[in-house]
Amino acid sequence: MGLDAQVLGEFTHLRRARDLIDRDFAQPLDVPTMAARALMSPAHFSRRFKAAYGETPYAYLMTRRIERAMALLRGGVSVTDACMAVGCTSLGSFSSSFTQVTGETPTQYRNRDHAAIEAMPGCLARLNARPSSVKPSRIREAEPGTGA
Amino acid sequence: MNISLQYCHVTVHDVDEALPFYRDALGLTVRNDVAGSGHRWVTLGSDSRPGAEIVLSDPHAGRSEEDGNAMQALLAKGVLPMTIFTTDDVDALFERIRATGAEVLQEPIDQPWGPRDCAFRDPSGNMVRLNQAAN
């Protein structure tokens, strides 16, 4: 009864690579390094990771970085400092990825109101505020005063 | 009339494999161990909060083969909900758990949102976070 041990083993290896991304997102992290954690070749790893989690490892890394950058921007950090702090080295590509994923520029995001998300404990905000590269943004912060 | 949390279920691949983590590493005490229909349910709690217990069981306990398999996949992928414990000494507890060889997700750090915390994966892939209790 239950899933094949090989299938479970693959999920476990993919999970360790995903944990590595969540932990070391601010480091220079490339797909071969992630794939090594999962004990797979980079091409196979990218395919299996996408099949398991719905987005490629690189897209997962970028949405993690952007989620962390959003938290820094909400705290008033400058766009350049937020970009560097989350492991992006090019401000131009950071801004365009950010805009593509969230639908607004880092500057627009930094300058607007964030009342709803600031009411959330950080460990939950980290999960819930994480944008998705797959669909249009999963979360839209509620307008102030709209209630639950 | 009041209400309080009594049991919270944690799905694990294998209860025997999970026990050393929850009992010996985390330091919880086994309260109940029930077997039936080829499955086991083990409850653990601690004296610092009597009455509140976690229940360990496997993905197929009380589920169809298909649902059990779906649960098992989510568990191995590490996407099931996390469990959060509180302790009066997060650094000491972290060291004890790490010494057992558990998978470290995060060393103790002071979080921007308040508590000092750390995180592990249990042997099945569940995220377990430990918060320093506010004094």
Side-chain angles (χ1 to χ4, degrees), chain B residues 1-133:
Chain B
M1 189 165 66
N2 68 6
I3 185 166
S4 56
L5 183 66
Q6 185 176 14
Y7 295 123
C8 189
H9 285 255
V10 177
T11 302
V12 295
H13 288 309
D14 181 302
V15 172
D16 282 320
E17 179 195 47
L19 263 179
F21 177 81
Y22 286 95
R23 182 192 55 206
D24 307 332
L26 261 57
L28 300 170
T29 307
V30 173
R31 303 278 194 225
N32 228 327
D33 190 335
V34 182
S37 319
H39 299 286
R40 249 174 101 197
W41 288 261
V42 173
T43 77
L44 302 102
S46 76
D47 292 339
S48 47
R49 190 162 299 169
E53 296 175 15
I54 60 164
V55 186
L56 303 179
S57 63
D58 71 82
H60 292 87
R63 292 190 185 89
S64 69
E65 172 76 10
E66 193 185 2
D67 287 349
N69 288 354
M71 199 69 179
Q72 205 177 11
L74 295 174
L75 176 56
K77 283 163 64 176
V79 297
L80 289 183
M82 61 182 145
T83 308
I84 307 179
F85 293 93
T86 181
T87 170
D88 58 3
D89 192 342
V90 74
D91 292 80
L93 185 53
F94 172 81
E95 289 304 335
R96 187 175 80 199
I97 299 169
R98 177 162 66 178
T100 67
E103 217 173 308
V104 176
L105 284 181
Q106 178 211 298
E107 285 79 10
I109 54 170
D110 294 313
Q111 294 288 3
W113 58 83
R116 183 170 179 77
D117 79 349
C118 66
F120 291 89
R121 291 264 178 217
D122 81 358
S124 298
N126 289 300
M127 184 189 288
V128 173
R129 301 196 74 91
L130 305 159
N131 278 354
Q132 174 76 42

